[in-house]
């Protein structure tokens, strides 16, 4: 095959993978596996403290709601929160808030509350 044809084929395949989101997904999984292997080698990494775990959960919920699943997956891996997510009711209890926004991430509700308070 000619070099130009191979380059065209590479470009076409790359474009298809990028358009379908597969290329970013593979890159994210690779980064996650790299972080995981580095963490496995250093046993001194502690699980996140309570406050960090809550903040991470709020961010993960936001990311997944907005279909940033690759970023959420990477955050879970880097933070060590690879187990099941904390229940939303527990997050509300820890933050001492009433869940009035069950269909959207808690971060949206917190922002709306803070904006409302700053206008008062």
């Amino acid at each position: 095959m000619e070099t130009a044809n191979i380059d065209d084929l590479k470009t076409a395949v790359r474009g298809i993978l990028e358009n379908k989101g597969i290329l970013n997904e593979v890159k994210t999984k690779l980064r996650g596996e790299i972080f995981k292997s580095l963490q496995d080698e250093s046993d001194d990494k502690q699980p996140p403290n309570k406050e960090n775990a809550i903040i991470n959960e709020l961010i993960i919920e936001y990311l997944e709601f907005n279909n940033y699943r690759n970023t959420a997956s990477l955050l879970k891996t880097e933070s060590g929160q690879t187990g099941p997510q904390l229940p939303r009711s527990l997050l509300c209890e820890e933050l001492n808030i009433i869940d009035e926004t069950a269909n959207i991430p808690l971060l949206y509700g917190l922002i709306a509350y803070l904006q409302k308070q700053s206008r008062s």
Side-chain angles (χ1 to χ4, degrees):
M1 247 186 183
E2 295 179 26
T3 305
N5 288 340
I6 292 173
D7 290 341
D8 291 342
L9 180 61
K10 286 180 185 177
T11 301
V13 169
R14 182 181 188 100
I16 291 168
L17 294 175
E18 284 177 347
N19 289 338
K20 291 184 176 186
I22 295 170
L23 194 57
N24 282 338
E25 186 177 329
V26 169
K27 286 179 182 179
T28 301
K29 286 183 180 182
L30 180 60
R31 284 186 199 111
E33 289 301 319
I34 290 170
F35 285 121
K36 195 184 303 183
S37 69
L38 292 174
Q39 287 176 355
D40 290 345
E41 290 178 11
S42 63
D43 293 333
D44 58 352
K45 177 147 170 85
Q46 298 293 320
N49 63 32
K50 184 177 178 180
E51 289 79 17
N52 283 353
I54 291 170
I55 292 168
N56 290 343
E57 288 293 336
L58 291 170
I59 294 169
I60 290 166
E61 181 188 42
Y62 161 82
L63 292 171
E64 289 179 344
F65 177 81
N66 287 289
N67 293 319
Y68 303 140
R69 287 183 177 85
N70 295 329
T71 306
S73 174
L74 190 57
L75 176 57
K76 288 176 185 178
T77 301
E78 281 191 272
S79 67
Q81 288 182 239
T82 54
Q85 285 185 251
L86 295 175
R88 188 176 172 109
S89 59
L90 178 64
L91 291 174
C92 290
E93 184 180 316
E94 289 294 327
L95 296 168
N96 197 25
I97 59 174
I98 297 170
D99 188 4
E100 297 176 346
T101 59
N103 57 342
I104 62 172
L106 289 172
L107 274 178
Y108 285 112
L110 290 171
I111 300 270
Y113 173 78
L114 292 172
Q115 287 174 334
K116 184 178 176 182
Q117 293 294 8
S118 69
R119 291 184 192 126
S120 303

